[in-house]
């Protein structure tokens, strides 16, 4: 291949990503089927890490410029509800926390703060999937109670 030659991109399908998630559970001594989300068409799971509930979803992503569909892996954990007071300070704290996170980020959906990691499944391998799940779980377990105590907000109970 020449210096400007294009390398073939590894296309990881939704089914390949599903197999990686199942392998993740198996390595942890759990059966993925016991943790499936009933409304995710066989492509969604949950697990507990300390006080944090983590969701793993394989989703169809947008089509690329050539019209090929791609899939995404999304790992998320709801933490707390946005507090009723001191919202500006609270959001500032979330931004400051984001500055020091790797492989995941804090976001909000409606009035819930989430830890989120998302990426296309192309070139995804087992080690990266394991790292993404671990990072989201670790950050969620670390921050949920801390934010609730600092800002008097309610823990998410889903």
């Amino acid at each position: 291949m020449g210096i400007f030659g294009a390398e073939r991109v590894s296309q990881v399908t939704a089914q390949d990503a599903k197999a990686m998630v199942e392998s993740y559970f198996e390595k942890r001594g759990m059966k993925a089927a016991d943790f499936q989300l009933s409304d995710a068409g066989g492509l969604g799971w949950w697990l507990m890490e300390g006080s944090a509930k983590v969701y793993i979803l394989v989703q169809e992503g947008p089509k690329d410029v050539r019209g090929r569909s791609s899939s995404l892996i999304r790992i998320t954990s709801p933490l707390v509800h946005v507090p009723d007071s001191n919202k500006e300070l609270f959001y500032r704290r979330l931004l400051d926390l984001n500055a020091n996170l790797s492989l995941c980020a804090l976001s909000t959906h409606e009035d819930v703060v989430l830890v989120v990691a998302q990426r296309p499944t192309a070139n995804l391998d087992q080690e990266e999937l394991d790292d993404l799940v671990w990072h989201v779980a670790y950050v969620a377990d670390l921050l949920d109670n801390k934010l609730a105590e600092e800002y008097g907000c309610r823990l998410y109970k889903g």
Side-chain angles (χ1 to χ4, degrees):
M1 173 181 350
I3 191 168
F4 297 109
E7 289 185 36
R8 186 172 174 87
V9 174
S10 168
Q11 293 299 318
V12 176
T13 67
Q15 291 305 312
D16 295 333
K18 177 183 178 183
M20 285 185 217
V21 172
E22 290 169 341
S23 177
Y24 172 82
F25 276 93
E26 186 177 306
K27 285 190 286 188
R28 302 231 10 228
M30 301 183 286
K31 291 182 180 179
D34 294 342
F35 296 90
Q36 278 194 325
L37 297 171
S38 60
D39 59 349
L43 296 173
W45 304 264
W46 65 274
L47 63 117
M48 293 297 296
E49 285 295 336
S51 59
K53 191 168 190 177
V54 178
Y55 296 92
I56 305 168
L57 298 161
V58 178
Q59 304 169 318
E60 284 302 314
K63 293 189 185 290
D64 66 14
V65 294
R66 295 187 181 126
R68 297 177 298 199
S69 63
S70 61
S71 53
L72 301 169
I73 185 94
R74 182 175 174 86
I75 303 152
T76 187
S77 181
L79 303 178
V80 294
H81 293 270
V82 173
D84 293 329
S85 60
N86 295 322
K87 287 184 183 187
E88 184 176 331
L89 289 174
F90 180 75
Y91 283 119
R92 173 65 187 258
R93 177 78 166 123
L94 296 182
L95 286 172
D96 290 344
L97 288 167
N98 261 340
N100 294 308
L101 295 178
S102 61
L103 299 179
C104 60
L106 297 172
S107 69
T108 59
H109 176 71
E110 297 177 356
D111 75 334
V112 177
V113 177
L114 309 164
V115 178
V116 178
Q118 178 174 300
R119 77 176 294 289
T121 58
N123 296 319
L124 179 69
D125 63 24
Q126 187 69 53
E127 183 178 357
E128 184 178 4
L129 173 76
D130 296 354
D131 285 348
L132 288 171
V133 174
W134 184 86
H135 273 81
V136 168
Y138 176 77
V139 169
D141 190 40
L142 181 71
L143 291 180
D144 56 357
N145 292 314
K146 186 175 184 170
L147 288 171
E149 290 170 15
E150 282 181 36
Y151 292 92
C153 45
R154 294 178 295 127
L155 286 170
Y156 179 84
K157 303 288 183 198

